[in-house]
Amino acid sequence: MTDQRKLWVPPTLGRRQLIVGAGAVGAAGLLAACGGDDDTASVNTTAPSGTTAATEPPGTTAPGAPATTAPGVTETTVPAGGIKSGGTLRVGVVGSTNDLMDAQYIVARADQARLITGWEPISNYDDNFNIAYNNSLAEEIEAVAPDQYVVRLKQGVEFHNGKTVGADDLIYSFNRLIDPELGIAPNLTQFIDANSFTKLDDRTVQIDLLKPSVAFLYGMADYGATIVPVDYARFAGDPATQIGTGAFKLKSFTPGSESVHTRFENYWGESYLDEVQIIDFADQSALVNALSSGDIDVAIDVPYAQAGSIESSGELTLLESQAGNWQTITMRVDMAPFDDVRVRQAMRLISNREEMVQRVLSGHGRVGNDMYGVLDGSYPKDFPQREQDIEAAKALLKDAGQENLEIELFAPDDTAGLPEYATAFAEQAKAAGINVTATVLDGGTYWGDQYTQRVFATSYWSTRPYLNQVGAGSLPTATYPETHWPPAGSNFVELYDQAIAEVDTDKRNELIREMQRQEYEEGGNIISYFQNLIDGHATYVKGAVARPNLINFDHFGRGWKNIWLDL
């Protein structure tokens, strides 16, 4: 190998890779890091012994490579006078008194916005989902083998307290993720432990995995894969403890009310605003009203039905991003009535997917097929498109002794689309002779202690490569086991363990294919559609770009550093 460190991209995964966002339900999964200050990653590839280096073009069928090329982006026009500095940005988001602030963990959208404001991940992706480093803290990564990675951090990056980011902080950040008392990323414990890290110098760490993982690289680009200073702890009342590297540092935080973040003068990159206020609203109606009345400048996650009114306003602008984000109705496969696969199959046949796209999303999305990871090259496009079949659903329910089923379906009020999804499904279920009661709870209650415990519920996710998503939500060790998949007696976990370690493309795809078949035929998710991300903002708010994204408002303007006010 030459003196220049090279990125080994596992064969069949290719260089064009998928953003590993955690949706509203979670932070880190598996971590990974890459290097350079460029806007995009122009990375050479070097394969470990026994593998073949690959730099596949878009369209590869490898897991982790996107199935399509990202559409063009729409840039904000900069006036002749240039970008203006200064001012306070007021951001509205639906939140509650259960809001938390943790640099590596979120539950609801408000938590997500605050995490992105204060902290930055190890690596990131560009508009075309190539690995990039302009919005992250790594300088480079050498993937020596599927079970060994070397991460080198950028030089001279400061935390908000003036301390230089270094190897000890990176190691602490990993160890915090696997701390059993915190429970942030339990699935990660099968790959790393406290002995997995070797400090090579002040900003370089070697990571030796407990077992090979071809997905480890992607997880390091998760927005929750942040670097925190040694001894960092979740917010418990003192803003001074919330030390990150972002363009804005915390001044104050009142859960259920607001947080105030001030410009970090020693930020390693550029930023323009003096202050960011993230303001909680009780529901989406109050949020949109605040935007319309000028009480806030940006509204995060506006209801799809109100997108048209924002578009028609001369003083407001709609920012819409398309990617592989998905919403789901979750059925616990380990509890009645969904421990009977016939009931799960029947519920999937009840959904009229075309109607869901129009009714729930007002057309701002596309039909789903109960499978996630649509941008992953391994996405099973050839699986038959599931369509509404009420007679078949009734027959399955009768066969299972559930023809008169009565059940409650829960949704939170803080996520655009989920209340509408639950209501629409309840109405469609009437044709199958069952009574589904749609119950909408306030977000604070919904994402509380009973989240992942309800038998029939709703949720939302950003897109991930298939294997990373499995680790986040479809294993007994998952951070968010919403469906409690897999069912008893399944070999799904064994298939996952084989696939995550398999570097041969064809062999891994065969394993993934069987995993996908099981979830498609017997799984607990009803994924009727993939939804676009929609946010509203005043016309004087500049810098947000309409492009494929996994997080609202152009990844929250990458921690608001790209946003400026043309006042």
Side-chain angles (χ1 to χ4, degrees):
M1 182 177 291
T2 65
D3 289 339
Q4 178 183 2
R5 293 186 188 273
K6 297 180 179 180
L7 172 67
W8 170 64
V9 179
T12 78
L13 297 186
R15 287 173 57 193
R16 296 184 54 80
Q17 296 163 14
L18 190 51
I19 286 182
V20 191
V25 287
L30 304 177
L31 300 174
C34 309
D37 294 326
D38 308 272
D39 285 349
T40 59
S42 179
V43 187
N44 294 323
T45 57
T46 300
S49 176
T51 66
T52 303
T55 55
E56 292 113 354
T60 174
T61 57
T68 59
T69 302
V73 300
T74 303
E75 299 287 350
T76 298
T77 300
V78 178
I83 294 174
K84 300 178 181 179
S85 295
T88 296
L89 181 73
R90 302 164 300 169
V91 180
V93 63
V94 176
S96 74
T97 55
N98 283 347
D99 289 354
L100 58 86
M101 185 173 294
D102 189 302
Q104 297 177 303
Y105 181 83
I106 67 100
V107 176
R109 188 84 71 188
D111 309 332
Q112 188 182 52
R114 293 180 172 113
L115 184 155
I116 299 298
T117 301
W119 294 272
E120 296 170 305
I122 305 168
S123 67
N124 65 278
Y125 290 79
D126 67 12
D127 296 347
N128 292 315
F129 306 124
N130 295 305
I131 293 176
Y133 321 109
N134 56 317
N135 293 302
S136 50
L137 301 180
E139 178 180 288
E140 62 182 359
I141 182 171
E142 180 183 359
V144 181
D147 60 354
Q148 186 179 86
Y149 299 81
V150 177
V151 178
R152 187 167 180 82
L153 301 174
K154 287 177 175 148
Q155 188 169 12
V157 174
E158 288 187 19
F159 284 113
H160 295 156
N161 61 358
K163 177 185 178 295
T164 300
V165 178
D168 292 333
D169 303 302
L170 179 61
I171 294 171
Y172 176 81
S173 299
F174 274 105
N175 281 322
R176 185 173 186 269
L177 287 169
I178 59 175
D179 184 337
E181 293 186 5
L182 297 176
I184 296 175
N187 186 55
L188 193 56
T189 59
Q190 64 181 301
F191 300 104
I192 59 173
D193 62 15
N195 298 315
S196 295
F197 311 102
T198 302
K199 179 179 176 181
L200 302 183
D201 60 41
D202 286 346
R203 57 189 181 102
T204 309
V205 175
Q206 177 177 305
I207 306 169
D208 294 292
L209 303 186
L210 301 175
K211 63 181 182 180
S213 171
V214 298
F216 192 82
L217 180 65
Y218 313 134
M220 295 174 84
D222 192 299
Y223 68 83
T226 61
I227 299 179
V228 297
V230 172
D231 295 330
Y232 169 84
R234 179 175 296 176
F235 178 83
D238 183 3
T241 64
Q242 298 307 291
I243 304 300
T245 62
F248 298 89
K249 57 186 179 181
L250 185 65
K251 178 181 179 181
S252 64
F253 175 41
T254 303
S257 179
E258 71 170 10
S259 59
V260 178
H261 311 257
T262 58
R263 179 187 176 93
F264 177 37
E265 295 298 338
N266 289 338
Y267 180 60
W268 61 273
E270 291 187 66
S271 65
Y272 311 109
L273 299 166
D274 290 333
E275 184 176 273
V276 176
Q277 299 174 359
I278 300 178
I279 304 167
D280 283 19
F281 289 86
D283 53 50
Q284 290 178 320
S285 295
L287 175 68
V288 175
N289 288 339
L291 179 66
S292 300
S293 63
D295 292 333
I296 57 175
D297 308 306
V298 177
I300 299 299
D301 198 29
V302 302
Y304 294 96
Q306 297 191 43
S309 63
I310 291 176
E311 284 183 303
S312 63
S313 170
E315 298 180 349
L316 302 176
T317 298
L318 192 72
L319 187 74
E320 181 166 3
S321 300
Q322 180 179 353
N325 298 58
W326 49 288
Q327 295 185 335
T328 179
I329 294 175
T330 60
M331 302 175 283
R332 280 192 61 165
V333 304
D334 61 337
M335 293 186 67
F338 301 122
D339 55 350
D340 189 323
V341 65
R342 294 169 296 184
V343 180
R344 302 197 298 271
Q345 292 170 339
M347 300 304 251
R348 286 172 154 184
L349 292 172
I350 286 171
S351 178
N352 183 325
R353 295 154 200 269
E354 292 285 356
E355 181 180 315
M356 290 294 189
V357 171
Q358 297 305 317
R359 180 172 175 178
V360 177
L361 306 179
S362 298
H364 296 277
R366 58 200 188 280
V367 167
N369 198 28
D370 300 325
M371 293 299 301
Y372 46 76
V374 69
L375 297 186
D376 191 317
S378 69
Y379 184 79
K381 294 181 179 179
D382 59 333
F383 283 8
Q385 175 59 55
R386 189 163 281 135
E387 298 180 352
Q388 186 182 61
D389 190 336
I390 296 299
E391 293 306 312
K394 291 168 71 173
L396 284 164
L397 289 167
K398 183 176 181 180
D399 194 41
Q402 296 288 350
E403 62 267 42
N404 297 314
L405 176 66
E406 295 187 5
I407 193 166
E408 194 168 14
L409 172 59
F410 294 91
D413 68 355
D414 63 353
T415 305
L418 292 186
E420 295 84 357
Y421 192 9
T423 300
F425 186 87
E427 293 188 10
Q428 291 176 1
K430 293 177 182 177
I434 61 176
N435 182 20
V436 175
T437 302
T439 299
V440 179
L441 304 175
D442 69 273
T445 300
Y446 188 87
W447 303 111
D449 293 341
Q450 290 303 302
Y451 168 57
T452 76
Q453 299 305 309
R454 298 183 180 94
V455 176
F456 203 28
T458 57
S459 188
Y460 71 104
W461 290 82
S462 297
T463 194
R464 297 177 173 186
Y466 179 76
L467 291 177
N468 293 72
Q469 180 60 46
V470 169
S474 297
L475 291 176
T477 56
T479 306
Y480 306 101
E482 295 172 337
T483 66
H484 294 257
W485 179 266
S490 168
N491 68 339
F492 187 86
V493 174
E494 288 76 12
L495 291 169
Y496 169 80
D497 288 340
Q498 295 174 49
I500 205 77
E502 181 57 67
V503 298
D504 181 270
T505 305
D506 294 336
K507 291 180 180 179
R508 184 171 60 253
N509 282 342
E510 289 178 5
L511 295 165
I512 289 176
R513 178 79 172 185
E514 174 58 20
M515 295 168 67
Q516 292 171 328
R517 184 196 64 77
Q518 290 186 22
E519 289 203 89
Y520 176 75
E521 294 180 357
E522 303 179 7
N525 283 305
I526 306 174
I527 305 172
S528 297
Y529 52 79
F530 297 97
Q531 85 278 12
N532 298 346
L533 297 177
I534 298 181
D535 308 291
H537 65 91
T539 55
Y540 54 76
V541 177
K542 306 295 184 181
V545 179
R547 56 182 145 200
N549 226 314
L550 280 298
I551 301 178
N552 285 80
F553 203 67
D554 195 20
H555 205 101
F556 298 117
R558 291 288 178 180
W560 315 109
K561 68 180 181 181
N562 297 329
I563 307 303
W564 53 281
L565 304 177
D566 188 15
L567 294 172

